[in-house]
Amino acid sequence: MLNGKTIAFLVAPEGIEQVELTEPWKAVKQAGGTPKLISTERGEVQGFNHLDRADTFPVDATVEEVSAADFDGLVLPGGVANPDFLRTVPAAVGFAKGFFDAGKPVAAICHAPWTLIEADVVRGRKVTSWPSLRTDLRNAGATWEDQEVVICASGPNTLITSRKPDDLKAFCQAATDAFSG
């Protein structure tokens, strides 16, 4: 269902919650899509299993080398450090915002909505996240819901959000459904 579609996965050089990268990545591949790892630096990124270092993954391109026009959708994995770093890099924030400007689906899990808050794209949207982001999201104009997956189509694009790794099955299904159009 994703044949011919390329999905960007935007991550920081380290601090990515590994399962929130690898499970959606597998789901995109199993649906026939092509996932691409985008970061702020070339080389490899470091995944984490909560606070412990896990595997490394090769970067396909940097945010300066690509744009939303190159992709059919965006996945933002979580981990506390990952989106906290991304929201400080204007090129990363602009890359994520480009998907909203282009009307392309975005899927963000756990702490990943921090990057979307910085991009000012959650105002008026229904979302979920790791519970500690609830106040941040409300202050940014979003309506926060405690659900395993929230699909919001009341904006320029479809926005899929989930709370945590336990929600990955529902998150991956909703994301691949949205990416398929």
Side-chain angles (χ1 to χ4, degrees):
M1 69 194 220
L2 295 182
N3 292 339
K5 300 206 180 229
T6 304
I7 308 302
F9 283 70
L10 176 61
V11 297
E14 67 176 359
I16 307 120
E17 186 65 36
Q18 183 162 310
V19 71
E20 294 174 358
L21 169 63
T22 58
E23 289 302 305
W25 187 280
K26 280 191 253 180
V28 166
K29 287 186 84 163
Q30 287 172 349
T34 303
K36 294 287 183 183
L37 192 60
I38 311 303
S39 190
T40 58
E41 299 174 13
R42 284 213 149 278
E44 293 186 329
V45 297
Q46 178 68 58
F48 279 76
N49 293 325
H50 192 54
L51 298 175
D52 299 321
R53 286 184 181 273
D55 299 322
T56 59
F57 303 90
V59 172
D60 292 307
T62 68
V63 290
E64 289 86 7
E65 298 169 331
V66 293
S67 74
D70 300 319
F71 302 97
D72 299 292
L74 172 65
V75 174
L76 295 167
V80 177
N82 175 43
D84 192 48
F85 176 82
L86 288 175
R87 68 184 176 158
T88 68
V89 180
V93 172
F95 179 71
K97 186 177 185 312
F99 286 84
F100 289 80
D101 294 343
K104 295 181 178 184
V106 173
I109 188 167
C110 199
H111 289 80
W114 265 340
T115 304
L116 301 180
I117 291 169
E118 193 66 30
D120 193 24
V121 294
V122 297
R123 188 171 317 283
R125 306 300 295 268
K126 289 184 181 178
V127 299
T128 195
S129 67
W130 185 254
S132 65
L133 274 69
R134 177 180 54 232
T135 300
D136 295 343
L137 284 159
R138 286 179 176 159
N139 288 342
T143 299
W144 190 86
E145 299 178 353
D146 187 13
Q147 303 288 330
E148 72 176 350
V149 66
V150 174
I151 302 164
C152 180
S154 65
N157 67 337
T158 300
L159 175 59
I160 300 99
T161 52
S162 283
R163 303 169 299 189
K164 57 190 175 184
D166 290 347
D167 300 336
L168 276 164
K169 183 176 181 182
F171 177 74
C172 291
Q173 184 63 58
T176 54
D177 287 349
F179 297 148
S180 72

